[in-house]
Amino acid sequence: MTECTDHARHTVHRTARLAELLDLLFEQSRHDAPNPLLPVPQLRAMGVIDGQDHIPMRTLAHRLGASPPSVCRLIDRLQAAGFVQRHPHPDSGREVTLTLTPAGRVRLARVREGRENLLHQALQGLPEAEHTALGSALDTLHRALTAVRPHLHALPAETTTSAPLPGRRIARPA
């Protein structure tokens, strides 16, 4: 039983270090993006809003783990930049819902594309079997994380498949 616990602890440690590395790489890649740079909290908020169109502001605050006043200020900045729109909540006159504007969707797509390109460069030399294994492991991790935190918005189905990104050819070593 100890061996399983040690193995699980090692896996958790490796996964946490990988998450830190990805966070650093994504932060560094933000400097390659067109100006002005979007702060990470704004990108996170845009990603959550993109995952649920017309999300109530209170729900966004809960999913971000932030206080409603700080999320309100964050949305003020995103709205001033032209990336988010507020709409009256259909059931409550005191609450608003949020959507990304077309400009917000374009900016978020560019950030995601930059991240995917970075990962594509890193993974392009892997054999297909390793791509398949990695995809399967990522699907498993995604299911496990959303089981522990069910309030997290789930990724759209097409982003959790083990298949390579559309339009991307995986380079095979010669």
Side-chain angles (χ1 to χ4, degrees), residues 48-67:
V48 173
I49 294 167
D50 186 49
Q52 181 183 341
D53 208 25
H54 290 283
I55 186 171
M57 179 106 63
R58 186 179 320 244
T59 303
L60 176 64
H62 179 72
R63 290 193 179 154
L64 293 174
S67 70

Side-chain angles (χ1 to χ4, degrees), residues 79-92:
Q79 189 172 16
F83 296 144
V84 171
Q85 287 181 323
R86 287 178 165 102
H87 305 278
H89 193 287
D91 301 328
S92 169

Side-chain angles (χ1 to χ4, degrees), residues 10-135:
H10 183 67
T11 300
V12 166
H13 178 76
R14 289 173 51 205
T15 304
R17 296 300 81 75
L18 179 59
E20 289 174 6
L21 175 61
L22 284 171
D23 191 39
L24 284 172
L25 289 172
F26 289 164
E27 179 62 22
Q28 289 172 0
S29 72
R30 285 181 348 104
H31 298 288
D32 299 333
N35 285 331
L37 293 177
L38 285 173
V40 171
Q42 291 181 16
L43 285 173
R44 286 184 182 134
M46 289 174 66
V48 173
I49 294 167
D50 186 49
Q52 181 183 341
D53 208 25
H54 290 283
I55 186 171
M57 179 106 63
R58 186 179 320 244
T59 303
L60 176 64
H62 179 72
R63 290 193 179 154
L64 293 174
S67 70
S70 66
V71 171
C72 188
R73 289 188 299 274
L74 185 143
I75 295 303
D76 288 344
R77 290 188 291 277
L78 286 170
Q79 189 172 16
F83 296 144
V84 171
Q85 287 181 323
R86 287 178 165 102
H87 305 278
H89 193 287
D91 301 328
S92 169
R94 297 184 66 186
E95 195 165 3
V96 297
T97 63
L98 306 165
T99 60
L100 291 182
T101 64
R105 290 188 194 288
V106 167
R107 176 56 71 92
L108 186 58
R110 284 187 182 148
V111 169
R112 287 175 171 164
E113 181 180 8
R115 290 174 174 181
E116 288 176 7
N117 285 338
L118 177 67
L119 291 170
H120 177 69
Q121 290 172 6
L123 300 175
Q124 70 182 2
L126 292 181
E128 188 169 344
E130 289 185 21
H131 276 279
T132 301
L134 179 59

Side-chain angles (χ1 to χ4, degrees), residues 129-158:
E130 289 185 21
H131 276 279
T132 301
L134 179 59
S136 179
L138 291 172
D139 289 345
T140 299
L141 179 59
H142 181 260
R143 282 191 304 275
L145 289 171
T146 55
V148 170
R149 301 279 190 206
H151 67 278
L152 293 174
H153 75 285
L155 295 174
E158 65 271 11

